[in-house]
Amino acid sequence: MAMTISGSTQRPAPQALASAVEALAARFGNRLITSQAVREQHAHTTTWLPTQPPDAVVMAQETADIQDVVRICAKYRVPVIAFGTGTSLEGQVNAPAGGVCIDLRDMNRILEVHAEDLDCVIQPGVTRKALNEHLRDQGLFFPIDPGADASLGGMTSTRASGTNAVRYGTMRDNVLALKVVRGDGEIITTGTRAKKSAAGYDLTHLFVGAEGTLGIISELTIKLRGIPETIAAAACSFETVRGACQATILAIQTGIPLARIELLNSEQVRACNAYSKLTLPETPLLLLEFHGSEIEVAEQSRNFGEIAKECGGGDFTWTTKPEDRTKLWQARHDAYWSVKALRPGAGVVATDVCVPISRLADCVTETEDDLKQLNLLSPIVGHVGDGNFHCSLVCDVDNAEEMARGEEFMHRLVERAQSMGGTCTGEHGIGQGKQKYLKAELGPEAIDAMRALKQALDPQNIFNPGKIVPAA
Amino acid sequence: MAMTISGSTQRPAPQALASAVEALAARFGNRLITSQAVREQHAHTTTWLPTQPPDAVVMAQETADIQDVVRICAKYRVPVIAFGTGTSLEGQVNAPAGGVCIDLRDMNRILEVHAEDLDCVIQPGVTRKALNEHLRDQGLFFPIDPGADASLGGMTSTRASGTNAVRYGTMRDNVLALKVVRGDGEIITTGTRAKKSAAGYDLTHLFVGAEGTLGIISELTIKLRGIPETIAAAACSFETVRGACQATILAIQTGIPLARIELLNSEQVRACNAYSKLTLPETPLLLLEFHGSEIEVAEQSRNFGEIAKECGGGDFTWTTKPEDRTKLWQARHDAYWSVKALRPGAGVVATDVCVPISRLADCVTETEDDLKQLNLLSPIVGHVGDGNFHCSLVCDVDNAEEMARGEEFMHRLVERAQSMGGTCTGEHGIGQGKQKYLKAELGPEAIDAMRALKQALDPQNIFNPGKIVPAA
């Protein structure tokens, strides 16, 4: 049983595909891989979407490799799918029309670090953790943290964000410029290293979040930050989701520069208590982080503590000691594993929506009620400062009836978020799984515009076909 | 003598134009204006570009008006140019192919304010000051301040920014969603009120900075901020531009959340002393603003003071008293007028470039040297936290030889910025004046992409033709 996919696509003619693979083999030798195991690994979707492997995988080592793969594929009209670490959540790396996957993991060089400008130039296969490891000695870091140790090329392509977004923004806010290989193999430069520019159409932001459907990112210039002098962690339990959300709203309105503010609902806290042997009150929990000077984080923590109290919060604990910070955030760090452990052998399907923060409490509460009604289990974790939350639906993937209820739940979740002025996805992207929701969210005119953009920049439809834009 | 314009455009056939004007007259009555004076006002460019008036002006009152103007103009293939307050600086409202100007000043309603979500929904003719006036009682403000009291539609279309950008970003970072009238009069919705989204191509950011060349913005959803509890102003003179830039770099690296940091070069300080009867040391001056709680701004000011000292700064003064803040910033507030007064009767041409901050001192210093070499007068004011600076070239517009030197200066300024990894414009936009620099900055592939996007979304080329994208 797999979830419904809406977009349709056509496979290339067998002869064209064979010719493309032959040309790639001649160019790349054993860096062209066609074994079933490797092809299937490259369609690993970490979702309940069916696996749709590409016909071949090329291990790229430099920009010229990407250019040549694209040129060969364009010649034979064969799809090209970029692959970073395969941690996307809506089928972005699936190959519904087959084609050639370009694995970018070996394009992992950090080309330049400009400490004074707080930016760096990197290849797309650099992962978040590798980058931060490299930067640490210079007192710098890259703030976007989607959880997985994803590649920066992939994070850019899915417009990823995560727990830090409330303070540092998403990938949208942290990419300065890109180099993108277009359909004829030539390279589009989208911007400069200047911190701001009013020079022409914003090509950078057109490629951020395009999920590889408009070209292949071969180089990125991204913003960095100074590692904060002091980090404080804090935790506070609330009687209700509404209280936790109200505290968040007040904190943001009064300008407390929250670095992270994560909501765990009662179900999630229960799962964490069981898994991590904690003794947290099994009510909604807020976990926070403050970044700044010692004086600043102390003031921020105190101010938040007062707001939390006004909003029905329980004991407010905060600390700047690294080992105590880790302990305080234990529940959040173990959230994923605690859900996996709830029902060993079952699948866990992650989905996300995002609503205006004033509607977050309504949306989470109604979602909790809906889960009860559908007799489904799904702890909720929210990047509450952004109005963004995740459901981790625990499902027996071999039970068609349960999966049907799961799919129904997902539909209703999206409809609920959209009816509240929100979006069908805050950070996972559209991929294959959420194409069917775009039209309801933005209207047919926006879909027309997206289709026109796709047609304009990828007239042959070779770049990751069957993603984002629903079939006409 | 006027500056060279690169893009070329064709006027509509006279019969088509006459038919369009007739249809508009029937629909809009005396809200269609064709008097020469009004037409010329609507091509007022605040630049040395030649005035190119539209053939007619329609005073729009609601979205349906925009839709009908666009439908009529599309039928006859007549250009449509959106007009806010006419404060753009690169000829964005000029009508090189004639056509119909839609004046949006009467579409100035604030439709919704969502205090909890820190956003609002407005019509495009709302000006920055009117919006902030409206928001003040709710403790909210919109932070982008380009100097002029521009309309928010125009600020969006030119991707405006200003003195606050170092902390609050530019229009790019502060627009959540747009409604845009497309070529057939239907409306594209680009996003929702959710604070972040990964749902499809980033249509919002494609229209931000498109200078009305892809459609007409009819409604905006923009982000707001809480008015800071305390504002501190500060000032510090430096012996050299390099010292001032170094202090800025260190402050940003250490994470001091500067709200504004403005550089006035010696020439500008001299002009301010003369105009405002000040007694500032006639060396580079930094003016700063800090936003936060009392404790925070005090700490930020102190920390910056220490950095300034390390970098050769003179006396560092800071204050939170409103009247003293105004006095401290007097030179900045009077900068424009002080330049106008330098040579009564002469023109002042404003231009801007933006470079990576590590190159800012080089760029400003070399620009000062070039001015001397060319025997030209141009005080410099910089949004130094962004690496962005403005030259205010004082020129006798009737002196062809002097204007030729001025144009030469502008060319060299852009080339200098681009050679340092920067951009030909940080905030004024491309319009007509800077089309010739786009290709050198981003390469022919980016121009191809921009041309393809224009063709995709405006196949009839009716929206503000002759702007941004150079003629093929």
Side-chain angles (χ1 to χ4, degrees):
Chain A
M1 171 76 194
M3 205 176 174
T4 321
I5 295 176
S6 49
S8 77
T9 45
Q10 227 183 331
R11 284 189 62 81
Q15 186 50 50
L17 180 62
S19 301
V21 171
E22 198 180 326
L24 290 167
R27 165 71 170 78
F28 292 101
N30 64 7
R31 286 198 283 130
L32 174 80
I33 308 169
T34 54
S35 77
Q36 192 177 337
V38 170
R39 292 192 294 113
E40 284 188 356
Q41 279 164 19
H42 285 82
H44 176 66
T45 64
T46 67
T47 66
W48 61 3
L49 295 162
T51 294
Q52 298 168 317
D55 296 296
V57 176
V58 173
M59 303 300 295
Q61 289 177 341
E62 50 187 330
T63 296
D65 293 347
I66 303 177
Q67 292 178 285
D68 285 349
V69 172
V70 169
R71 283 185 186 122
I72 290 168
C73 286
K75 182 174 173 188
Y76 297 103
R77 300 203 168 214
V78 166
V80 190
I81 301 120
F83 184 96
T85 59
T87 47
S88 63
L89 289 162
E90 291 293 348
Q92 279 93 343
V93 297
N94 246 341
V100 178
C101 172
I102 307 185
D103 186 322
L104 297 156
R105 76 180 69 181
D106 295 333
M107 285 185 65
N108 59 1
R109 271 179 301 145
I110 294 161
L111 303 171
E112 301 166 19
V113 176
H114 303 275
E116 291 198 324
D117 298 315
L118 293 179
D119 71 49
C120 67
V121 183
I122 61 171
Q123 291 187 321
V126 173
T127 67
R128 178 176 71 78
K129 287 184 184 169
L131 178 61
N132 281 327
E133 192 75 30
H134 181 93
L135 295 170
R136 193 181 303 144
D137 288 350
Q138 295 178 70
L140 301 172
F141 79 117
F142 181 72
I144 313 301
D145 173 4
D149 186 21
S151 70
L152 272 301
M155 285 169 64
T156 301
S157 287
T158 52
R159 206 182 293 133
S161 52
T163 52
N164 269 324
V166 63
R167 170 132 181 191
Y168 299 102
T170 73
M171 287 307 287
R172 196 181 67 192
D173 309 294
N174 287 282
V175 177
L176 276 173
L178 296 170
K179 288 192 188 291
V180 181
V181 178
R182 68 181 187 188
D184 65 355
E186 297 304 305
I187 292 171
I188 301 171
T189 299
T190 69
T192 72
R193 288 207 301 112
K195 211 176 138 196
K196 67 187 194 191
S197 173
Y201 300 147
D202 192 340
L203 298 179
T204 305
H205 288 87
L206 188 58
F207 289 106
V208 173
E211 302 184 2
T213 63
L214 302 177
I216 310 285
I217 296 171
S218 59
E219 195 180 291
L220 304 84
T221 304
I222 57 177
K223 292 188 200 171
L224 305 175
R225 316 285 167 137
I227 294 175
E229 184 190 315
T230 315
I231 296 176
C236 186
S237 290
F238 287 79
E239 277 170 43
T240 60
V241 166
R242 192 162 304 278
C245 289
Q246 202 49 42
T248 309
I249 289 170
L250 285 176
I252 292 173
Q253 276 184 327
T254 53
I256 301 179
L258 307 160
R260 306 188 203 239
I261 182 158
E262 295 284 298
L263 171 72
L264 282 64
N265 79 339
S266 314
E267 199 69 66
Q268 181 63 65
V269 173
R270 215 166 2 254
C272 290
N273 274 348
Y275 179 80
S276 308
K277 320 248 173 305
L278 303 174
T279 55
L280 293 161
E282 293 185 347
T283 63
L285 173 70
L286 279 188
L287 295 174
L288 299 98
E289 214 174 82
F290 304 100
H291 294 177
S293 68
E294 256 192 76
I295 294 176
E296 282 167 350
V297 301
E299 203 204 9
Q300 291 161 20
S301 302
R302 268 196 312 270
N303 287 348
F304 187 85
E306 278 168 35
I307 288 172
K309 207 169 168 187
E310 277 175 44
C311 297
D315 291 342
F316 176 77
T317 324
W318 72 277
T319 176
T320 58
K321 284 191 199 135
E323 62 278 18
D324 295 343
R325 276 166 35 205
T326 307
K327 222 182 278 172
L328 216 55
W329 270 65
Q330 182 87 46
R332 182 65 184 87
H333 295 308
D334 294 343
Y336 177 75
W337 300 108
S338 76
V339 175
K340 290 288 272 183
L342 279 174
R343 198 168 143 190
V348 176
V349 178
T351 193
D352 89 307
V353 293
C354 188
V355 295
I357 193 171
S358 63
R359 303 306 307 278
L360 184 61
D362 293 337
C363 200
V364 170
T365 309
E366 289 180 25
T367 301
E368 289 178 330
D369 291 347
D370 202 35
L371 286 163
K372 269 182 214 139
Q373 202 183 319
L374 287 163
N375 191 27
L376 288 167
L377 180 63
S378 171
I380 290 174
V381 174
H383 308 318
V384 65
D386 301 320
N388 181 207
F389 68 93
H390 298 265
C391 293
S392 306
L393 192 62
V394 184
C395 250
D396 176 358
V397 289
D398 297 321
N399 181 335
E401 184 276 329
E402 189 176 337
M403 290 294 280
R405 270 185 288 135
E407 195 160 347
E408 175 64 18
F409 166 74
M410 301 271 212
H411 278 292
R412 291 196 210 171
L413 174 65
V414 167
E415 280 174 6
R416 185 176 307 120
Q418 289 178 335
S419 75
M420 292 177 175
T423 174
C424 63
T425 174
E427 52 184 32
H428 292 180
I430 294 294
Q432 298 179 299
K434 286 188 167 169
Q435 287 177 24
K436 53 181 171 286
Y437 302 121
L438 260 185
K439 192 167 163 183
E441 184 161 317
L442 299 174
E445 296 83 5
I447 309 297
D448 291 347
M450 290 187 196
R451 198 167 282 132
L453 297 176
K454 169 75 172 168
Q455 171 70 26
L457 297 187
D458 180 25
Q460 291 204 85
N461 192 28
I462 60 166
F463 290 119
N464 209 2
K467 311 298 164 65
I468 295 189
V469 186
Chain B
M1 171 74 193
M3 204 175 173
T4 321
I5 295 178
S6 50
S8 77
T9 47
Q10 227 183 331
R11 284 188 62 81
Q15 186 50 51
L17 180 62
S19 301
V21 172
E22 196 180 327
L24 290 166
R27 165 71 172 78
F28 291 102
N30 64 6
R31 286 200 282 131
L32 175 80
I33 308 169
T34 54
S35 77
Q36 192 178 338
V38 170
R39 291 193 294 113
E40 283 189 355
Q41 279 164 19
H42 284 80
H44 176 66
T45 63
T46 68
T47 66
W48 61 2
L49 295 162
T51 294
Q52 298 168 316
D55 296 296
V57 176
V58 173
M59 304 299 296
Q61 290 179 342
E62 50 188 330
T63 297
D65 293 347
I66 303 177
Q67 293 178 284
D68 285 350
V69 172
V70 169
R71 283 187 186 119
I72 290 168
C73 286
K75 183 173 170 190
Y76 298 102
R77 300 203 168 212
V78 166
V80 190
I81 301 121
F83 185 96
T85 59
T87 48
S88 63
L89 290 163
E90 291 293 348
Q92 278 92 344
V93 298
N94 245 342
V100 178
C101 171
I102 307 185
D103 186 321
L104 298 156
R105 76 181 68 181
D106 295 332
M107 286 187 64
N108 59 2
R109 272 180 301 144
I110 294 160
L111 304 170
E112 301 166 21
V113 175
H114 304 275
E116 291 197 323
D117 298 315
L118 293 179
D119 71 52
C120 67
V121 183
I122 61 171
Q123 290 187 324
V126 173
T127 67
R128 177 176 72 79
K129 287 185 183 168
L131 178 61
N132 281 326
E133 194 74 31
H134 182 93
L135 294 170
R136 191 180 304 145
D137 289 349
Q138 296 179 70
L140 301 172
F141 79 116
F142 180 73
I144 313 301
D145 174 2
D149 186 21
S151 70
L152 272 302
M155 285 169 63
T156 301
S157 286
T158 52
R159 206 183 293 132
S161 53
T163 53
N164 268 323
V166 61
R167 169 129 180 193
Y168 299 103
T170 73
M171 287 306 289
R172 195 182 66 192
D173 309 295
N174 287 282
V175 177
L176 276 172
L178 296 169
K179 288 191 189 291
V180 180
V181 177
R182 67 181 187 187
D184 65 354
E186 298 303 306
I187 292 171
I188 301 172
T189 299
T190 69
T192 71
R193 287 208 304 111
K195 211 176 136 196
K196 67 187 196 190
S197 173
Y201 300 147
D202 192 338
L203 298 179
T204 306
H205 288 87
L206 188 58
F207 290 106
V208 174
E211 302 184 2
T213 62
L214 302 177
I216 309 286
I217 295 171
S218 59
E219 195 179 290
L220 304 84
T221 304
I222 57 177
K223 292 188 199 171
L224 305 174
R225 317 285 166 137
I227 294 176
E229 184 190 314
T230 314
I231 296 176
C236 186
S237 291
F238 287 79
E239 278 171 43
T240 61
V241 167
R242 192 163 305 278
C245 289
Q246 201 49 41
T248 309
I249 289 171
L250 285 175
I252 292 173
Q253 276 183 329
T254 54
I256 301 179
L258 307 161
R260 305 189 204 239
I261 181 158
E262 295 285 296
L263 171 72
L264 282 62
N265 79 340
S266 314
E267 199 70 64
Q268 180 64 66
V269 174
R270 219 170 353 257
C272 290
N273 275 348
Y275 179 80
S276 309
K277 320 245 173 306
L278 303 174
T279 55
L280 292 161
E282 293 185 347
T283 62
L285 173 70
L286 278 188
L287 294 175
L288 299 99
E289 213 173 83
F290 303 101
H291 294 177
S293 68
E294 257 192 75
I295 294 177
E296 282 167 350
V297 301
E299 204 206 9
Q300 290 161 19
S301 302
R302 267 197 312 271
N303 288 347
F304 187 84
E306 278 168 34
I307 288 172
K309 208 169 165 185
E310 276 174 43
C311 298
D315 290 344
F316 177 77
T317 323
W318 73 276
T319 175
T320 59
K321 284 192 200 135
E323 62 278 18
D324 295 343
R325 276 166 34 205
T326 307
K327 221 181 282 172
L328 217 53
W329 269 66
Q330 182 87 45
R332 182 66 184 87
H333 296 309
D334 294 342
Y336 177 73
W337 300 109
S338 75
V339 174
K340 290 288 271 185
L342 279 175
R343 197 167 144 191
V348 175
V349 178
T351 192
D352 89 307
V353 294
C354 188
V355 295
I357 193 171
S358 63
R359 303 306 306 277
L360 183 60
D362 293 336
C363 201
V364 171
T365 308
E366 290 181 24
T367 301
E368 289 177 330
D369 291 346
D370 201 36
L371 286 163
K372 268 184 217 139
Q373 202 183 319
L374 287 163
N375 191 26
L376 288 167
L377 180 63
S378 171
I380 292 175
V381 173
H383 308 318
V384 65
D386 301 321
N388 182 206
F389 68 93
H390 299 266
C391 293
S392 306
L393 191 62
V394 183
C395 251
D396 175 359
V397 289
D398 298 321
N399 180 336
E401 184 276 328
E402 188 176 339
M403 289 296 279
R405 270 185 287 137
E407 196 160 342
E408 175 63 19
F409 166 74
M410 300 272 212
H411 279 292
R412 291 196 209 170
L413 175 65
V414 167
E415 280 174 7
R416 187 176 305 121
Q418 288 178 336
S419 76
M420 292 178 175
T423 173
C424 62
T425 174
E427 52 185 33
H428 293 180
I430 293 294
Q432 298 179 299
K434 287 189 167 168
Q435 287 176 25
K436 53 180 171 285
Y437 301 121
L438 261 184
K439 192 165 161 184
E441 183 162 320
L442 299 174
E445 298 82 5
I447 309 296
D448 292 348
M450 290 188 196
R451 198 167 280 133
L453 297 176
K454 169 75 173 169
Q455 171 69 25
L457 296 187
D458 179 25
Q460 292 204 85
N461 192 29
I462 60 166
F463 290 118
N464 209 4
K467 311 299 163 66
I468 295 188
V469 186

